Amino acid sequence: MAADSAQTAPVGAAGPAGARAGIKTRRTALGTHVFDRRTGMNLFIDQAGTDESVALAPRQVSVALTNACDLRCSYCYAPKTPGRHDTATVVAWAKELDAHGCFGVGFGGGEPTLVTGFPEMCQLVAAQTDLAVTFTSHGHHLTASVCTRLVGAVHFIRISMDGVGQTYERLRGRPFGALLDRLADVGDVAPFGINVVVNERTVHELDQVADVATQAGARELLLLPQQPTARWHGIDQATLSEMRAWLNRYRGPLAVTIGATGIQGLPVTAPVPGEQPLDAYAHITADGVLKRSSYQAGGSPIGEDGVMAALSVLRTTGATP
Ligand code: SF4
């Protein structure tokens, strides 16, 4: 899950992937933005605005490659309907987004590593575009063999870890030790971060999560306040307050980011001041609908005329996330 996590991510925080140069410049009416997918370097010059903002792709696009997952987390918001993209479609979308100024794609789901040929899909996108390639996974299929095929194909990996030890095992239904084993291989592929769904059970373990993540070599911790679904409740106010208190006192080495739905009341920095939401981010569902976020109802189906045509429609609908 966490297809929206890239919405707040320092895309491609570093990494060796891809033979292409990977440095991109994005010019809009707000300024000039330079991004290097190999290092994660972001440079925004707000004095150099042009009129080239028309028809720009979002800076970051998340793609749910599938709705399928072999875990059964109670708070999962991935749709339970069938849906899966093939490699040719994803590569075509990636090339189109790349040509229109997008900086990165983040693959999610469901569980993206369940998609047949997932490593090869990442390889093709990295090789044929200048996009930063990232993905979010529960991590349990990232064996040494899969990781070997991902080397050079991704720039940043996000692994979900809701709590530690028994808390993780109750929530995710998998051995915590097995996850730690997988993290050792993940660290050999690309820089990685840890995603945490923050709820009343995990909020008390944020210190331990941060410690485990640091020891495993993670660079970033992404806090995702639990969202309500048709079957499950969202984060409560007391837990939200506790999470904010933890954020204020955390002094560890990890870069801490937070999902866009949890930032109210926090002193966060806008990466591009004045940027419109659809210039920053969009989401493609596993059944091929472009949305402002994975939570948005409706959206714009992507047809044979591609993602940018769907984006044009989405821009005129006025729908809110
Ligand atoms: S790992 Fe859990 S939250 Fe993520 S897609 Fe699977 S069931 Fe949903």
Side-chain angles (χ1 to χ4, degrees):
M1 91 143 172
D4 275 358
S5 58
Q7 195 171 357
T8 59
V11 183
R20 295 164 65 113
I23 296 179
K24 292 192 73 170
T25 300
R26 177 182 166 94
R27 294 186 179 85
T28 73
L30 297 172
T32 299
H33 194 164
V34 181
F35 170 65
D36 185 345
R37 68 178 182 175
R38 297 164 304 180
T39 64
M41 183 274 292
N42 272 277
L43 175 65
F44 183 69
I45 307 163
D46 65 0
Q47 299 297 317
T50 74
D51 292 327
E52 296 177 40
S53 58
V54 180
L56 265 186
R59 265 191 302 114
Q60 177 74 13
V61 174
S62 61
V63 184
L65 294 181
T66 175
N67 284 336
C69 184
D70 50 341
L71 269 59
R72 296 288 178 268
C73 310
S74 53
Y75 39 80
C76 179
Y77 62 75
K80 305 309 169 202
T81 50
R84 177 170 295 206
H85 297 307
D86 59 50
T87 297
T89 301
V90 172
V91 172
W93 289 343
K95 289 166 90 168
E96 190 185 358
L97 290 166
D98 185 42
H100 287 85
C102 182
F103 280 168
V105 285
F107 296 133
E111 175 53 44
T113 61
L114 291 179
V115 172
T116 304
F118 173 69
E120 290 70 30
M121 180 189 293
C122 293
Q123 288 169 11
L124 286 170
V125 174
Q128 297 185 15
T129 73
D130 286 324
L131 296 172
V133 179
T134 67
F135 70 90
T136 300
S137 169
H138 61 50
H140 288 281
H141 301 303
L142 292 171
T143 60
S145 153
V146 172
C147 285
T148 299
R149 290 153 62 204
L150 285 167
V151 171
V154 293
H155 299 82
F156 198 81
I157 299 172
R158 300 186 169 281
I159 301 294
S160 304
M161 188 172 86
D162 304 336
V164 298
Q166 289 186 350
T167 301
Y168 174 89
E169 293 177 353
R170 280 193 206 105
L171 293 174
R172 293 264 163 179
R174 289 289 189 280
F176 188 61
L179 177 70
L180 297 184
D181 289 345
R182 296 281 73 82
L183 290 182
D185 292 322
V186 167
D188 291 335
V189 177
F192 71 96
I194 296 295
N195 291 1
V196 190
V197 173
V198 182
N199 56 34
E200 68 279 8
R201 287 170 287 184
T202 61
V203 71
H204 315 295
E205 298 189 354
L206 289 176
D207 278 331
Q208 292 106 302
V209 168
D211 286 347
V212 169
T214 301
Q215 286 163 19
R219 300 200 180 178
E220 186 190 295
L221 190 64
L222 171 60
L223 307 184
L224 298 165
Q226 182 169 292
Q227 296 303 301
T229 69
R231 299 178 305 139
W232 207 251
H233 61 89
I235 189 169
D236 59 69
Q237 279 305 318
T239 304
L240 202 52
S241 298
E242 194 170 340
M243 180 194 77
R244 289 174 178 162
W246 182 86
L247 272 169
N248 283 330
R249 69 172 182 271
Y250 178 70
R251 296 290 180 270
L254 298 172
V256 179
T257 54
I258 183 166
T261 49
I263 59 176
Q264 297 84 356
L266 288 170
V268 295
T269 305
V272 180
E275 188 177 44
Q276 293 300 307
L278 262 182
D279 292 332
Y281 173 77
H283 173 70
I284 298 174
T285 65
D287 55 355
V289 178
L290 186 72
K291 299 182 176 220
R292 294 167 184 264
S293 79
S294 58
Y295 300 105
Q296 184 198 338
S300 175
I302 304 172
E304 290 184 357
D305 44 0
V307 183
M308 294 305 292
L311 181 67
S312 240
V313 174
L314 193 61
R315 284 190 191 282
T316 61
T317 61
T320 52

